[in-house]
Amino acid sequence: MSCSFGTLNKAIKITPVMSQQSKQTLQKFLVVDDHEAILQGTIPALKEKYPEAEILAAQDAQTAYQQFQRYHPDLLIVDLCLPEKPQAIAQTEVGMQLIKTLMESPLAPNLVVLSTNVKPLVRLKPMINAYEGGFAAMDKSLPIREMLKFVDLALRGSIYLSSELRSRPEFDRKWIEVLMLKYQEGLTDKAIAQKMLVSDRTVRNYWIRLQDSLGVYDEPGKELRIQIEIAARKIGLIN
């Protein structure tokens, strides 16, 4: 999958002094977070645990993707809420798109998602479960030592999701597309069907599948679609 991320932004690069032969075999890590304090806490911890690793950093999705393309890091530690480019506003959808793009890469890098809210990853559960690289997700409020455990897991190629994410059912990408078109673009069912190139009946079936998976049922005095929206937002299917 191609990505439209633009110009390279200035990033932190920490490179140990080593022989040319060693440089060819050392591990490369890329830490992606727009908060300087997080970088200042994460990078030294990684440096202490992996003293021979080359550690890069980026503070927006464009820079991160270009660093990934240029250096092919063994591991990326990525926040979900990121600005698309320098000076832009951080958004969860930007981080989600970056994660998805990285996972679709044939390089299949090891990934650790470090975020204040990992719930939106439920949208990517089918991709995560089938992923060929290591993948772990954690709340960034946890101690640094916990992050290092997740880094080890991902570097070994393991897949780890919190119990909260594991307990969520998987949602077909078309169901999620219906949610996005309805609650983020405000489209009617008929317009959704035209946008998705499916029949009106198919869209109605998607709503039924969503309703069942979310455990939402008709209740007197309550609007069903609003209840679906509330349930979907609660578990991170939509922002």
Side-chain angles (χ1 to χ4, degrees), residues 165-177:
L165 288 172
R166 289 198 304 270
S167 65
R168 303 296 187 189
E170 292 186 6
F171 293 86
D172 188 282
R173 62 177 182 81
K174 292 183 178 179
W175 307 352
I176 297 173
E177 186 177 356

Side-chain angles (χ1 to χ4, degrees), residues 118-129 161-173 175-176 179 208-217 228 231-232 234-238:
V118 297
K119 288 181 181 179
L121 289 174
V122 71
R123 304 180 218 164
L124 301 182
K125 272 187 69 176
M127 287 184 67
I128 294 170
N129 290 334
L161 294 176
S162 65
S163 57
E164 181 182 36
L165 288 172
R166 289 198 304 270
S167 65
R168 303 296 187 189
E170 292 186 6
F171 293 86
D172 188 282
R173 62 177 182 81
W175 307 352
I176 297 173
L179 288 173
I208 293 171
R209 303 289 190 280
L210 277 166
Q211 181 181 338
D212 291 342
S213 295
L214 290 168
V216 176
Y217 304 101
I228 291 175
K234 185 175 181 179
I235 67 170
L237 286 180
I238 50 178

Side-chain angles (χ1 to χ4, degrees), residues 106-123:
L107 296 176
N110 300 310
L111 294 166
V112 173
V113 176
L114 185 64
S115 186
T116 56
N117 179 21
V118 297
K119 288 181 181 179
L121 289 174
V122 71
R123 304 180 218 164

Side-chain angles (χ1 to χ4, degrees), residues 40-203:
Q40 291 176 356
T42 302
I43 291 176
L46 290 171
K47 196 65 187 165
E48 183 176 357
K49 179 73 180 290
Y50 305 93
E52 296 186 346
E54 180 180 5
I55 303 176
L56 310 168
Q59 294 182 278
D60 61 84
Q62 291 181 348
T63 299
Y65 190 70
Q66 292 209 7
Q67 294 277 49
F68 168 70
Q69 288 184 308
R70 181 176 180 182
Y71 296 107
H72 300 160
D74 304 281
L75 173 85
L76 290 92
I77 300 175
V78 185
D79 190 2
L80 276 187
C81 190
L82 292 170
E84 182 176 359
K85 56 187 179 181
Q87 313 305 320
I89 297 173
Q91 299 180 67
T92 298
E93 289 307 315
V94 172
M96 286 288 289
Q97 182 58 51
L98 176 61
I99 293 292
K100 184 178 178 183
T101 300
L102 293 170
M103 293 182 72
E104 290 176 339
S105 165
L107 296 176
N110 300 310
L111 294 166
V112 173
V113 176
L114 185 64
S115 186
T116 56
N117 179 21
V118 297
K119 288 181 181 179
L121 289 174
V122 71
R123 304 180 218 164
L124 301 182
K125 272 187 69 176
M127 287 184 67
I128 294 170
N129 290 334
Y131 192 49
E132 295 183 1
F135 191 102
M138 65 169 284
D139 191 309
K140 67 165 56 174
S141 65
L142 293 174
I144 287 289
R145 64 178 180 274
E146 293 297 317
M147 180 204 71
L148 294 174
K149 291 179 182 178
F150 283 97
V151 168
D152 283 339
L153 282 171
L155 285 172
R156 292 202 301 266
S158 300
I159 302 291
Y160 178 85
L161 294 176
S162 65
S163 57
E164 181 182 36
L165 288 172
R166 289 198 304 270
S167 65
R168 303 296 187 189
E170 292 186 6
F171 293 86
D172 188 282
R173 62 177 182 81
K174 292 183 178 179
W175 307 352
I176 297 173
E177 186 177 356
V178 167
L179 288 173
M180 299 287 191
L181 293 173
K182 174 66 175 180
Y183 298 117
Q184 293 187 357
E185 296 188 26
L187 300 186
T188 64
D189 280 8
K190 189 171 188 63
I192 290 172
Q194 293 172 348
K195 183 94 170 182
M196 296 180 66
L197 302 178
V198 298
S199 68
D200 293 357
R201 180 178 179 180
T202 298
V203 171

